[in-house]
Amino acid sequence: MTAVTLTTLGLTTTQAFAAPEPPKPRPWQARHQAEIGQKHAQKVLGKGVAGPAFSAKADTVAGAKADAGGDGGSDEAQNSAEGTAQYTEARTAPGVVAPGAYGAAWAQLQDMPHTGGTWKHVTNKPYNSDDPRYRDVNSNSSGGAGKVTGRITGIAADNDGHVYAGGANGGVFRSRTGGGDWEPIADSLPSLSTGTLDLDGSGRLWYATGESNTGATSYVGTGVYVLADPKHGEFQPGNRVGGAELESTIIHALRFAGDKVWAATSRGVWSHSTTTLSGPWTLEFAPNPDYLPGGSKAKDPSAPYKNIANDIAIDPKDPSKVILAVGWRGGDTYNGFYSKAADGSWQRVASLGDLPTDAANVGNVTFARSADGSRYYAIDQSPDVMAHNPDTGLKGIYVSKSGSPSGPWTLIADKDKLKGSGSALQGAGYQPGIQAWYNQFLQVDPANPDHLYAGLEEVLETKNGGSTWVVPGPYWNFPFPCWSINPTKQTGDCSPTTHSDQHAVAIGTYQGKTSVYVGNDGGIYSRPVNGAVDSGGHAKDWKSLADGTIDTLQYYSVGVGKDPADRSGKGVIVSGGLQDNGESILRAHDKVMGSNFGGDGADTIVDPANGCNIAEEYVYLDMWVTQNCAVNNGSGNTDPSKATSYEVAPPDKDLGGAGARFIAPITTDPKNTNTWIAGGRHIWVQNKGFAIRSGSEWTSAYDLGAGHVATAVATVNGTVYAGWCGPCNNQGFTRGIAVGKTDGTGWHQLNLPVDGALPNRYISSFAVDENDAQHVVVAFNGFSRTWTEGPGAGIGHLFETRDGGATWTDVSANLPDVPATSVKILPNGGLALGTDLAAFYRAPGETDFAVLGEELPTTSVQQLKTGPDGKLYAATFGRGIWSLNLRRLNGHNSHNGDNHDQD
């Protein structure tokens, strides 16, 4: 361990920005525009989350839905405004998380022993979203995104074939071959959340941690790190620049000028010397310093929104002339552009030509400068447009032909110009720039100052300074005449495209060929920088670089069942629900994973005896079931009688966030796998197992009450435990546990006073003893009172009852104070726990916990499940799915452990 003050690291805590990445539409939504569901999206994004608050109130969003005239059931952006806030609520309510919370937990983690056994990477195979085996009605297969991985939020590339890609919560990967054959190089750091990656003039790689999206599933970081020899070395904690000044922030951009680097962060604009890396960062500008840590308003719930800086533009002719783009994407009075006045103070810029400077129209902004200094470009997302235009949040793309960030700036593209240039986004409510608050990048071709790549939901390109545009990377291929669901072709006669939602870009050279690299919600893609396009302006030469050696997949869930096609009887099918990338399926002998359900994947049920029996949740309990792995040649899309997956959503699905959480809990009774439980406002039960074919076959066993929604459910032998919250945000947060029978009898609320034995925090998971349903362990998300405010914030994360909830004991013991996400009683009686940092294990008869196994990356473990193969599976939110052979748990290893047994 190198010298760094680990006790103060503010590691990867979820930032409280209320409405990040939207759920992905499914293909049938694309082909039937009425169901794309973006109608009046910005009214929700503007009203529901624009006000500075830690999370949008459920009633605020619901009110916005009513105001917008939406139906509440199919509106994707409305869903995102509410649903993504919920990810934050689980970790913050009730209160504000203080900086340093994750850092203290990470420091404690370093000194804990490890159990025997080594985690095995399960999803280290290519993941083909266009797998022709799975072309049923709810698959995105044939959309054109090809091989995908999780969200990439930073890219850097040199002229020797080295490419560096940063996962949203997966760390940095290096390729030495212009993309592919990746290796992780940042796994020793306490934060794997990527803000941006940059190579400086000396060839050093700068890694700014803290994902550069104001999204509730975006984790903050631990500052900026520099790797002197990125071609061969790996990041270490001692590579950090400066002190603790940038801990617990997100970093939107690093910009270099002379011997100084500037950082645009969620706590203002900072600078540091690039020649002397020690010493603190200097705060250059914060529009509302009272809201910074240590300020008089630092604990105000609006504090995270009051000092957001998005980018920095530096005059290439005079590095002392700097313009700052500052502002919360939902709108605030401080939003605007700032430059230094003669007296040295930062003042709002009054005019920049076409580029607006009024607070209402300056939101998320990205700058890019040409290599020769003759051009500056900018993308501007407008809070006002976002609040009033149902189709877009984009104000425009602009150029300064003087090369000065002071302009004058000229508009070169707006929503309509891009829409008419070959965009796939043509429907009402989903047009270019609809997610400009989330999707932005800019990159100028070093060889041509008029050649610009721009990223919104799609990849855009101009070769003449913005006079005309093409869309080389459309959202998907479904709307185009060349598209076909023909299973013998990837996407009919269309060329492959990229995944949607663009975040990062770089240009680099390998073996004399120059390529552009783009990062998005599906990973990283490349094409020749001057690549070919078809008659519609769509690229003919995209290459996915997700070859299976880079895994940044963000899983919510995992399910495992025996593979009926495996003759040995030992092979299993592993499925999992993914943010942005549907449901993955990996059969026993597959060399490539497939995607049998599109859109967002949430919770998952898999039959242990037959892994082709799968139930998956989209969002808000919109459940679908298949009994053949959803294998289909596409005929089910035109002939419903040939479909192999079926919608079986409980009625709460139609109520959206008022009826169920965005990622709502579903489970089965291990003693009777035909009995399923789904938690919304109601606790729903169905007893047909995978033979269910309609949502009408569910019955309500219990109504949790108006405003209450389930956060966790579990059942054994007909006894059900249901954790709920409502309200679920900081404003009046309440929680409880209801207990009853699957037949609807015996239901009652446990007596859980706010200052009682159980903390007043989000209930994330139950583990019920299969041999005694009165024996239950419950896990709590969030942090203890050390790091949060509010009455009843509590202390522990894990509690146990042996009398059905009448009395509880805190069994957190030596666990780090970190959000707990999933608890599991193992077959040997031991206890496994997934958290935002690691997985832990308590052996039978013991009190203390050890870190579970070796080599699991430091990222959030969202769900733990056992498989019929005797292994424990961990779904991580940023590094895929991993498995551990439970037979290897005999004894504890030292901190560094040397037990590398696999199977």
Side-chain angles (χ1 to χ4, degrees):
M1 188 64 63
T2 47
V4 61
T5 310
L6 297 176
T7 54
T8 62
L9 289 176
L11 176 65
T12 56
T13 182
T14 302
Q15 188 61 289
F17 299 118
E21 57 279 4
K24 293 295 178 289
R26 292 195 163 177
W28 49 266
Q29 293 173 312
R31 295 192 289 272
H32 303 83
Q33 288 295 329
E35 295 185 9
I36 281 184
Q38 291 294 346
K39 184 178 181 182
H40 304 296
Q42 266 49 57
K43 289 190 178 182
V44 174
L45 293 173
K47 294 177 64 176
V49 303
F54 253 75
S55 54
K57 290 184 179 181
D59 57 353
T60 302
V61 177
K65 289 181 182 180
D67 293 343
D71 63 12
S74 63
D75 192 319
E76 298 291 343
Q78 290 176 1
N79 288 353
S80 74
E82 184 175 353
T84 51
Q86 295 176 3
Y87 196 89
T88 293
E89 292 169 356
R91 287 156 174 78
T92 60
V96 177
V97 179
Y102 274 96
W106 190 79
Q108 184 178 345
L109 178 67
Q110 306 314 299
D111 294 327
M112 293 181 68
H114 288 235
T115 71
T118 301
W119 288 93
K120 180 181 178 181
H121 194 180
V122 175
T123 51
N124 58 343
K125 292 177 173 61
Y127 176 27
N128 184 7
S129 67
D130 287 321
D131 192 322
R133 293 175 292 177
Y134 308 107
R135 293 201 165 166
D136 202 18
V137 63
N138 257 334
S139 168
N140 280 350
S141 181
S142 76
K147 294 177 181 177
V148 297
T149 188
R151 188 163 67 243
I152 295 295
T153 50
I155 304 175
D158 65 17
N159 291 323
D160 294 319
H162 293 84
V163 183
Y164 308 93
N169 198 32
V172 182
F173 289 78
R174 172 177 58 211
S175 169
R176 307 175 193 268
T177 58
D181 296 320
W182 301 92
E183 57 182 333
I185 62 170
D187 284 4
S188 295
L189 297 183
S191 172
L192 300 185
S193 174
T194 301
T196 189
L197 285 167
D198 287 280
L199 288 163
D200 65 16
S202 300
R204 296 178 298 180
L205 181 63
W206 293 67
Y207 179 34
T209 62
E211 186 187 343
S212 52
N213 293 308
T214 48
T217 59
S218 302
Y219 284 74
V220 301
T222 56
V224 177
Y225 300 82
V226 173
L227 187 55
D229 182 15
K231 295 180 180 180
H232 305 98
E234 296 187 9
F235 285 101
Q236 301 296 329
N239 297 142
R240 191 170 71 170
V241 179
E245 301 80 27
L246 301 188
E247 289 178 1
S248 300
T249 67
I250 64 173
I251 300 177
H252 293 262
L254 295 177
R255 300 297 182 186
F256 299 87
D259 61 355
K260 181 185 286 190
V261 59
W262 297 71
T265 82
S266 53
R267 293 207 300 259
V269 177
W270 300 70
S271 70
H272 201 282
S273 167
T274 57
T275 57
T276 303
L277 301 182
S278 60
W281 287 79
T282 299
L283 177 62
E284 296 280 357
F285 177 64
N288 297 291
D290 288 348
Y291 290 90
L292 294 175
S296 61
K297 298 180 180 179
K299 294 183 178 181
D300 190 294
S302 65
Y305 303 87
K306 287 297 188 179
N307 289 288
I308 293 174
N310 295 296
D311 210 343
I312 301 136
I314 303 168
D315 194 320
K317 301 179 181 66
D318 185 353
S320 68
K321 294 181 179 179
V322 178
I323 286 184
L324 314 178
V326 177
W328 164 235
R329 60 172 169 78
D332 205 324
T333 56
Y334 73 89
N335 285 30
F337 297 100
Y338 293 79
S339 65
K340 270 193 176 180
D343 64 359
S345 64
W346 292 95
Q347 300 294 330
R348 192 187 300 268
V349 176
S351 177
L352 289 171
D354 289 348
L355 184 61
T357 57
D358 59 301
N361 280 302
V362 180
N364 187 22
V365 172
T366 298
F367 289 121
R369 187 177 73 191
S370 64
D372 66 359
S374 67
R375 298 286 188 273
Y376 242 112
Y377 294 92
I379 295 177
D380 177 34
Q381 167 263 327
S382 162
D384 184 65
V385 170
M386 192 170 74
H388 297 98
N389 191 318
D391 298 329
T392 188
L394 177 69
K395 189 67 175 177
I397 303 177
Y398 303 82
V399 64
S400 169
K401 292 186 177 181
S402 70
S404 168
S406 297
W409 291 83
T410 303
L411 177 69
I412 57 174
D414 58 12
K415 177 261 296 184
D416 293 324
K417 188 170 188 177
L418 298 175
K419 178 183 176 182
S421 299
S423 171
L425 303 179
Q426 300 286 329
Y430 210 99
Q431 295 180 23
I434 188 73
Q435 295 163 196
W437 46 271
Y438 174 60
N439 306 136
Q440 286 193 21
F441 71 56
L442 283 173
Q443 177 68 52
V444 188
D445 182 349
N448 180 358
D450 288 325
H451 184 194
L452 177 73
Y453 277 92
L456 292 169
E457 302 77 30
E458 304 169 296
V459 181
L460 316 166
E461 182 183 15
T462 177
K463 291 188 175 181
N464 52 22
S467 295
T468 59
W469 293 81
V470 294
V471 184
Y475 194 90
W476 46 22
N477 287 319
F478 292 129
F480 303 134
C482 58
W483 172 81
S484 167
I485 203 167
N486 184 344
T488 66
K489 299 181 180 181
Q490 175 164 295
T491 177
D493 294 320
C494 297
S495 297
T497 184
T498 70
H499 196 285
S500 58
D501 295 348
Q502 312 306 317
H503 298 289
V505 63
I507 289 176
T509 300
Y510 177 55
Q511 296 182 341
K513 298 179 180 179
T514 302
S515 298
V516 61
Y517 300 89
V518 300
N520 47 52
D521 278 14
I524 181 169
Y525 298 75
S526 70
R527 69 184 291 247
V529 73
N530 286 294
V533 297
D534 62 20
S535 59
H538 307 135
K540 300 164 68 174
D541 44 20
W542 283 113
K543 178 184 179 182
S544 169
L545 302 179
D547 60 359
T549 61
I550 182 172
D551 184 359
T552 56
L553 291 167
Q554 296 170 285
Y555 280 94
Y556 286 116
S557 62
V558 61
V560 187
K562 291 183 178 180
D563 188 341
D566 180 54
R567 294 180 179 179
S568 73
K570 297 179 180 180
V572 295
I573 295 174
V574 181
S575 294
L578 285 152
Q579 184 174 43
D580 305 344
N581 286 295
E583 179 99 353
S584 70
I585 178 170
L586 178 64
R587 300 198 202 182
H589 301 290
D590 277 354
K591 295 182 179 179
V592 176
M593 291 194 296
S595 179
N596 52 2
F597 293 91
D600 284 272
D603 212 347
T604 302
I605 294 174
V606 174
D607 184 351
N610 183 346
C612 273
N613 290 337
I614 304 167
E616 73 93 39
E617 177 193 3
Y618 175 38
V619 293
Y620 297 123
L621 280 185
D622 188 2
M623 291 177 63
W624 291 73
V625 66
T626 181
Q627 289 189 277
N628 78 331
C629 287
V631 170
N632 198 287
N633 64 4
S635 58
N637 286 267
T638 55
D639 183 350
S641 69
K642 295 181 179 179
T644 51
S645 54
Y646 313 91
E647 186 175 26
V648 295
D652 277 351
K653 183 267 292 189
D654 296 326
L655 300 176
R661 299 284 285 177
F662 186 71
I663 306 297
I666 57 177
T667 193
T668 64
D669 190 328
K671 295 295 187 179
N672 180 4
T673 54
N674 285 329
T675 297
W676 293 8
I677 309 295
R681 168 178 165 170
H682 294 254
I683 303 304
W684 298 97
V685 178
Q686 70 94 1
N687 296 297
K688 293 187 175 181
F690 293 94
I692 186 174
R693 290 294 180 267
S694 168
S696 64
E697 296 175 83
W698 294 88
T699 59
S700 173
Y702 185 65
D703 184 350
L704 292 170
H708 296 169
V709 288
T711 61
V713 293
T715 181
V716 166
N717 276 333
T719 297
V720 181
Y721 292 84
W724 56 266
C725 62
C728 297
N729 50 56
N730 291 328
Q731 291 75 34
F733 177 88
T734 57
R735 56 83 182 101
I737 297 175
V739 182
K741 296 291 184 178
T742 54
D743 63 5
T745 63
W747 279 90
H748 61 283
Q749 295 282 348
L750 298 182
N751 181 25
L752 305 177
V754 168
D755 290 316
L758 297 182
N760 189 40
R761 300 201 311 271
Y762 183 93
I763 297 169
S764 58
S765 179
F766 292 100
V768 183
D769 191 332
E770 294 185 20
N771 300 312
D772 179 7
Q774 297 293 296
H775 177 206
V776 184
V777 181
V778 60
F780 283 79
N781 215 307
F783 291 92
S784 73
R785 188 174 288 163
T786 303
W787 303 105
T788 58
E789 301 173 332
I795 298 174
H797 293 270
L798 209 58
F799 294 80
E800 186 173 30
T801 180
R802 294 185 179 274
D803 53 18
T807 59
W808 295 89
T809 301
D810 186 343
V811 293
S812 306
N814 64 327
L815 284 171
D817 185 359
V818 66
T821 51
S822 181
V823 62
K824 183 75 178 174
I825 297 175
L826 300 179
N828 69 347
L831 200 63
L833 178 69
T835 74
D836 270 5
L837 278 184
F840 299 93
Y841 175 70
R842 187 188 72 185
E846 294 191 8
T847 300
D848 285 351
F849 287 81
V851 179
L852 183 52
E854 300 283 352
E855 298 188 11
L856 185 67
T858 302
T859 191
S860 176
V861 178
Q862 291 293 100
Q863 192 174 80
L864 294 172
K865 284 187 180 176
T866 52
D869 54 358
K871 296 178 183 178
L872 179 69
Y873 287 80
T876 76
F877 199 71
R879 287 293 287 271
I881 295 173
W882 296 69
S883 68
L884 182 77
N885 191 329
L886 292 176
R887 294 190 299 272
R888 306 302 185 189
L889 288 179
N890 51 340
H892 294 175
N893 289 341
S894 66
H895 170 70
N896 291 320
D898 58 2
N899 185 337
H900 296 285
D901 290 338
Q902 293 288 340
D903 299 327

